Amino acid sequence: MTDDSSPWLIVGLGNPGPEYAGNRHNVGFMVADLLAERMGGKFKAHKARAQVVEGRVGPPGPGSRRVVIAKPMSFMNLSGGPTTALRDFYKVPVERIVAVHDELDIDFGQLRLKLGGGDNGHNGLKSITKAMGPDYCRVRFGIGRPPGRMQVADFVLKDFSSTERKELAFEVDRAADAVETLIVDGLERAQSTYNS
């Protein structure tokens, strides 16, 4: 039984530093930034090597949920350390942890929400799963596959294309809605609304 006083932990995955800000791999940070903005919160440094903002999502009153939004300040492939430290600090049950990340196997403009599963070669997920097992929620933001012979590593560390950038704000907005729906209404409702 989950203790209702414990918050949800939303971890946007990305790489710290301005040179990575617009990369496909940083879409988790983009969603985290928007969620923080919606709550009117500002990120602050946390000893867990992360930037965090605390607040509530959902309708005012008993329907709202306590959340901690985090951006690990380690690099992507070390995301497990800060995530585990935040989980322990805020006493968050693993089923209330939501990782928001880029996903190669889904076309740009599509979302998939799920609980548990493999890491699909994603280094951020690999690190989190290694640190605490696979039983956390994921909001997978489709970025599609690299064109031609481009290496995956090069593709994810490039900015979105100009065509994608026209849609990006809308898609990030939808992903933020999906996270809020997951937390307030549950995974099944969020899946039936957003899984495309």
Side-chain angles (χ1 to χ4, degrees):
M1 189 68 197
T2 303
D3 169 15
D4 251 2
S5 66
S6 59
W8 285 76
L9 174 60
I10 302 159
V11 184
L13 295 183
N15 284 309
E19 67 274 31
Y20 298 106
N23 290 179
R24 290 182 176 93
H25 224 18
N26 269 43
V27 79
F29 275 16
M30 297 174 199
V31 175
D33 286 338
L34 180 59
L35 286 164
E37 193 182 303
R38 286 179 179 185
M39 292 188 326
K42 291 259 181 281
F43 280 98
K44 294 181 175 62
H46 190 280
K47 65 181 182 188
R49 283 186 318 166
Q51 296 271 329
V52 300
V53 60
E54 297 178 48
R56 301 189 83 84
V57 300
S64 78
R65 304 277 183 269
R66 255 181 82 212
V67 296
V68 177
I69 300 167
K71 298 191 294 185
M73 290 289 114
S74 58
F75 279 90
M76 178 70 88
N77 56 353
L78 300 171
S79 302
T83 304
T84 312
L86 290 167
R87 175 200 67 185
D88 296 347
F89 182 85
Y90 289 103
K91 302 184 172 40
V92 182
V94 73
E95 66 275 12
R96 284 198 179 187
I97 296 174
V98 182
V100 184
H101 64 92
D102 56 306
E103 176 61 65
L104 289 160
D105 284 341
I106 305 172
D107 290 338
F108 178 76
Q110 297 198 326
L111 292 173
R112 293 259 203 310
L113 287 78
K114 66 179 212 172
L115 174 64
D119 56 49
N120 230 6
H122 191 288
N123 289 331
L125 295 182
K126 207 175 279 182
S127 175
I128 293 173
T129 298
K130 189 175 171 193
M132 63 184 198
D135 301 325
Y136 53 93
C137 295
R138 298 97 192 275
V139 173
R140 304 157 73 203
F141 187 110
I143 59 168
R145 285 253 157 219
R149 295 212 163 116
M150 188 191 283
Q151 293 295 313
V152 165
D154 295 334
F155 179 69
V156 298
L157 293 176
K158 280 208 176 357
D159 286 3
F160 286 95
S161 71
S162 54
T163 314
E164 289 168 340
R165 278 201 295 270
K166 291 190 183 97
E167 301 291 317
L168 187 59
F170 171 77
E171 299 303 345
V172 168
D173 198 60
R174 244 182 100 235
D177 290 347
V179 171
E180 290 182 352
T181 303
L182 165 64
I183 290 169
V184 175
D185 300 322
L187 182 62
E188 281 179 30
R189 169 71 63 84
Q191 286 173 322
S192 66
T193 309
Y194 294 99
N195 279 11
S196 35

